[in-house]
Amino acid sequence: MAIEAARLSPSLAAAAFLARRPPPALFPFSLRRRLPLLRVLAGSNFQWTPQRNGRIELHAITTYKHLSKLLLQSEFIAECFMRRAYLTGFTGSAGTAVVTKDKAALWTDGRYFLQAEKELTHEWLNDVLPSGCRVGIDPELFSILLLWIDEIWGDARPKPPKEPTRVHDIKFAGIDVPSKLSFIRSHLTENGCDAVVISMLDEVAWLLNMRGSDVPHSPVFYSYLIVEVGTATLFVDSNKVSEDILEHLEKAGVKLKPYEAIVSEVERLAEKGAKLWLDSSSLNAAIVTAFKSSCDKQMKKKGNAGKKVEKEASSDEPTGVENGALNAVYNVSPVTLAKSVKNEAEIEGMKNSHLRDAAALAEFWCWLEEKVCKSVPLTEVQVAEKLLEFRKKQDGFIETSFDTISGYGANGAIIHYRPTPEDCSSVGGDNLFLLDSGAQYIDGTTDITRTVHFGEPSPRQKECFTRVLQNLLLIKELNLANSFGGISYLGFERLTFVPIQSKLIDVSLLSPSEINWVNNYHDEVLDKVSPLLSGDSRDWLWKNTRPLLDVTH
C-alpha cells in the first residue's frame, strides 16, 4: 500500500519568513478596475476581508434581499467559469465575492493578503451588508438559487472548453475500468445503495482511465458519472468523445449521455425509488435539490407527503430512511480512498516522472546559475519560460501542474505569486530567489520548490533556510524485523530529487543525524538523476550534491 503525500515546502516558508510583513486584521479594498460591471452591480465599492481560520463561513454572510450573489470557485477551473475573477479582478485561486444592490465585498484567506493588496485598490467600507437577507449563487457549481453574472458577462464570456478527451493507458493506470467499477459496486451493495453520483472531475477521470484538458494545469474534463449496480453512465459533451474513447467505454460497459442530462437522470432514479449514495462534500446543490424534489413528488403521489425523504448521516455511519421509502446515503465518495491508495503502476509512474522532472530542473539550474553569474539580465517571467523549455524536452510532458512561482527577493514572500511581463522583477545575485513549479506528465504529477541564492547569503537567511528543510514523500508500509502486536508501520520514500543548495545551510544548526540526512539525500539525487544528464548539467549536479562537510571545509 502506498499513499501520495505532500508537505508545504519549507523553502517557500523560509523566503516568506524573511520578507513578508504581518497581515493586518482587516484590509479594505475597492475594485475600480472593473468599472463597467461594478458600477452596474455595486457602484464600484468593494471591501476585502480575510476569513477566520482560512475558511468561508457562509452563515456569517448576509446580503441585500434578492439582489446579492455569492461567488465561489475551486482552485482550478475553466476560464468560462471564472465569474469571480471577471467580476472583481482578483485572480487568486480561493475567495468569495458578495454583491448587493449598491455594495460588494470580497473574502479570501491569508495566502492571498499580499496578492489582493497588489491587485485591488484601497478604500474603506464598514457595515456593508444588512442582516436577514438572502444569498444567491450558481446551483451548477456550489449551492442553491440563481446567478446573474453570466447575463451581464454576455458575449465577452469565454466559450466552454471543447478539447477532446483521451484514454489513459493501462500501463500507467495499473487497473482497468471494469475492475474499478466492480470495486465501487461492491461498496454500493455493502451500503444497500442502488447508485452513486460522482461529480469530482479527478475521480471521474481516475475511475474511467480517461484524461482531458478542460481545466488549466489538470488533466480532467467536465463530466458527471453515475455508477449503478448493473450499469454506468458518463455525462459529457459528445464533442469531446472520439472513436477511441467510445470503444474504450463500450468495453467497460459505460454508456454516454449529454452533460446536461445529469439532472434528469437523477430525477429518473428518484422516481423509480433508487437509493442514492451522495457525497455532500462535493456534489453541487442542483443535483441534491433535484433528487430531493423528485423524491418529494413521489412521496406525495404515494400519499406520504409528510414523510421525510432522507436524513443526513455522519461520514462514518451512513444511514437512510428504510422500509421502502425513497432515501439517500450521505457518505464520502467510495472513489476517494480507492484513488488515494496508489497501485504499483501508479507508483512507478510517479517515481519516473519525478526523475525526468529532476533532470529538467538540473539543466535549468545549471543554465540559470551561469546566466546570473555572468550578469545576464533576466526577468522572473523569462526564467519561468526557460524552465518550461527544459521540461518540454522530457518524455511524456503535457503541461505545467500550476502557474510557476518565480519570485526574486520580496516577491518570493507572496504566496502563489505569479509574475507578468508588465509587473515582475529581474533575477540577480543579491537576494534569495524562490522557484515553486511542477509539471503534468503522462505518468505522474510533480511539484518542487527550491530557494537559492546566487551570491553570498546572509547569516539570517541561512538560519531561516536551515530550519525549514523538507520535500514530497511517498507513504508506504515498512518491513521491520520487529513489530509490536503484529501492527504494520508506515514509512516515507522520497520522490523529489533536486539538490538543496548547500551554501544556504548553516551546518552548525544541524545535528549529526540531520547532516547525514542531507548527505544521504544528495547521494540518492546524484545516483538517480546523473544517468539522465550529460555535459555541464551533469557537472553541476555533481558539484551541488557534495557532502555538507566537504562544502564547509
Side-chain angles (χ1 to χ4, degrees):
M1 177 185 73
I3 303 177
E4 187 177 8
R7 294 183 177 179
L8 172 64
S9 170
S11 43
L12 173 61
F17 181 72
L18 287 168
R20 77 179 172 205
R21 53 194 170 93
L26 181 66
F27 273 113
F29 296 95
S30 70
L31 301 181
R32 298 187 182 279
R33 299 177 189 178
R34 283 303 204 245
L35 291 179
L37 180 59
L38 287 180
R39 280 175 179 161
V40 172
L41 292 179
S44 77
N45 294 320
F46 230 85
Q47 175 177 305
W48 178 82
T49 309
Q51 300 168 196
R52 291 177 291 177
N53 302 322
R55 296 180 63 86
I56 298 170
E57 300 184 8
L58 297 182
H59 64 272
I61 299 175
T62 56
T63 61
Y64 199 82
K65 194 172 184 179
H66 301 308
L67 295 175
S68 302
K69 297 94 183 166
L70 172 64
L71 307 181
L72 301 172
Q73 60 186 43
S74 59
E75 184 169 8
F76 295 131
I77 59 173
E79 189 177 3
C80 63
F81 296 127
M82 294 179 180
R83 296 182 175 95
R84 190 205 63 222
Y86 167 71
L87 172 65
T88 68
F90 175 66
T91 60
S93 64
T96 304
V98 179
V99 180
T100 72
K101 182 178 180 180
D102 56 3
K103 295 184 177 71
L106 175 68
W107 281 257
T108 190
D109 59 52
R111 295 173 298 166
Y112 296 99
F113 289 170
L114 295 177
Q115 180 178 342
E117 183 179 16
K118 188 175 183 179
E119 291 185 341
L120 313 180
T121 55
H122 296 258
E123 188 173 314
W124 183 266
L125 271 179
N126 281 324
D127 300 325
V128 175
L129 307 170
S131 61
C133 301
R134 298 180 180 179
V135 175
I137 56 183
D138 186 348
E140 290 291 333
L141 297 181
F142 308 105
S143 189
I144 58 175
L145 304 180
L146 296 175
L147 182 72
W148 301 320
I149 298 300
D150 298 349
E151 192 173 322
I152 300 168
W153 208 344
D155 294 337
R157 183 184 182 186
K159 300 297 181 184
K162 296 290 185 183
E163 295 299 316
T165 55
R166 62 184 184 275
V167 176
H168 188 54
D169 198 282
I170 188 65
K171 69 180 179 181
F172 303 125
I175 301 175
D176 60 25
V177 179
S179 298
K180 292 181 178 180
L181 290 175
S182 178
F183 173 83
I184 300 303
R185 286 169 177 144
S186 68
H187 279 263
L188 290 178
T189 302
E190 290 173 7
N191 287 273
C193 293
D194 301 296
V196 59
V197 181
I198 300 169
S199 62
M200 295 295 288
L201 303 187
D202 58 321
E203 293 189 357
V204 175
W206 178 86
L207 190 54
L208 296 183
N209 288 347
M210 290 173 59
R211 298 293 185 267
S213 53
D214 284 357
V215 178
H217 313 299
S218 300
V220 297
F221 52 98
Y222 284 106
S223 57
Y224 294 96
L225 180 67
I226 293 180
V227 180
E228 300 178 63
V229 174
T231 187
T233 305
L234 173 65
F235 301 83
V236 67
D237 187 338
S238 60
N239 292 327
K240 300 175 184 177
V241 180
S242 65
E243 290 297 325
D244 288 343
I245 290 292
L246 280 174
E247 182 180 352
H248 171 74
L249 293 174
E250 287 175 0
K251 287 181 178 179
V254 179
K255 300 184 297 184
L256 278 177
K257 287 193 176 182
Y259 179 78
E260 300 79 10
I262 179 65
V263 172
S264 61
E265 186 67 13
V266 169
E267 291 172 339
R268 181 191 68 82
L269 289 170
E271 289 171 2
K272 76 172 189 177
K275 183 175 181 179
L276 261 60
W277 182 321
L278 302 175
D279 185 344
S280 57
S281 67
S282 61
L283 276 177
N284 63 53
I287 292 177
V288 176
T289 301
F291 181 69
K292 287 183 176 181
S293 297
S294 294
C295 288
D296 286 340
K297 291 178 182 177
Q298 290 303 110
M299 287 298 183
K300 290 177 181 179
K301 288 181 180 179
K302 295 182 177 181
N304 297 320
K307 193 171 183 179
K308 285 188 175 180
V309 174
E310 85 285 323
K311 63 179 179 179
E312 291 260 356
S314 64
S315 59
D316 58 343
E317 292 182 334
T319 61
V321 178
E322 300 297 336
N323 301 321
L326 296 174
N327 59 95
V329 166
Y330 288 88
N331 204 348
V332 175
S333 166
V335 182
T336 300
L337 181 60
K339 177 177 172 292
S340 66
V341 181
K342 306 302 181 184
N343 60 56
E344 292 302 319
E346 290 172 324
I347 294 172
E348 188 68 17
M350 288 164 55
K351 292 179 178 179
N352 291 337
S353 62
H354 275 83
L355 288 178
R356 297 197 304 277
D357 201 55
L361 282 160
E363 293 176 335
F364 163 79
W365 286 119
C366 177
W367 169 84
L368 182 58
E369 188 175 282
E370 178 186 6
K371 296 300 181 184
V372 173
C373 290
K374 292 181 178 179
S375 298
V376 176
L378 289 170
T379 66
E380 295 165 331
V381 171
Q382 290 172 322
V383 169
E385 290 173 344
K386 190 64 179 182
L387 173 58
L388 181 58
E389 288 183 26
F390 284 113
R391 278 196 165 117
K392 284 182 176 179
K393 295 191 299 182
Q394 295 298 321
D395 291 340
F397 175 82
I398 299 174
E399 62 176 333
T400 55
S401 54
F402 53 93
D403 288 321
T404 297
I405 301 172
S406 172
Y408 182 70
N411 290 341
I414 303 175
I415 304 175
H416 288 197
Y417 169 73
R418 182 178 64 178
T420 63
E422 300 77 25
D423 185 15
C424 65
S425 299
S426 295
V427 178
D430 298 327
N431 213 327
L432 291 170
F433 172 66
L434 177 139
L435 185 77
D436 185 358
S437 68
Q440 295 284 2
Y441 293 93
I442 195 169
D443 51 349
T445 304
T446 68
D447 180 350
I448 175 71
T449 305
R450 286 293 181 268
T451 300
V452 301
H453 199 303
F454 296 113
E456 187 59 39
S458 68
R460 178 60 171 161
Q461 290 172 330
K462 294 174 68 173
E463 178 191 0
C464 293
F465 181 89
T466 304
R467 293 191 184 280
V468 292
L469 291 176
Q470 286 292 348
N471 302 109
L472 194 66
L473 301 168
L474 180 75
I475 301 174
K476 64 178 185 179
E477 288 185 352
L478 294 180
N479 294 319
L480 301 177
N482 300 295
S483 60
F484 180 76
I487 299 174
S488 61
Y489 289 84
L490 299 177
F492 302 107
E493 180 179 342
R494 290 183 285 268
L495 290 176
T496 48
F497 295 99
V498 177
I500 299 166
Q501 193 177 46
S502 298
K503 74 158 80 173
L504 272 171
I505 299 176
D506 185 345
V507 179
S508 67
L509 298 176
L510 300 181
S511 67
S513 63
E514 290 169 333
I515 292 175
N516 287 335
W517 181 91
V518 175
N519 289 340
N520 290 337
Y521 173 69
H522 279 159
D523 285 344
E524 195 172 5
V525 170
L526 182 63
D527 180 62
K528 290 179 179 294
V529 181
S530 60
L532 305 177
L533 301 171
S534 61
D536 293 341
S537 298
R538 189 167 185 172
D539 291 341
W540 178 91
L541 187 70
W542 180 83
K543 292 176 184 177
N544 283 273
T545 53
R546 290 169 56 198
L548 282 183
L549 294 181
D550 287 355
V551 174
T552 55
H553 296 294

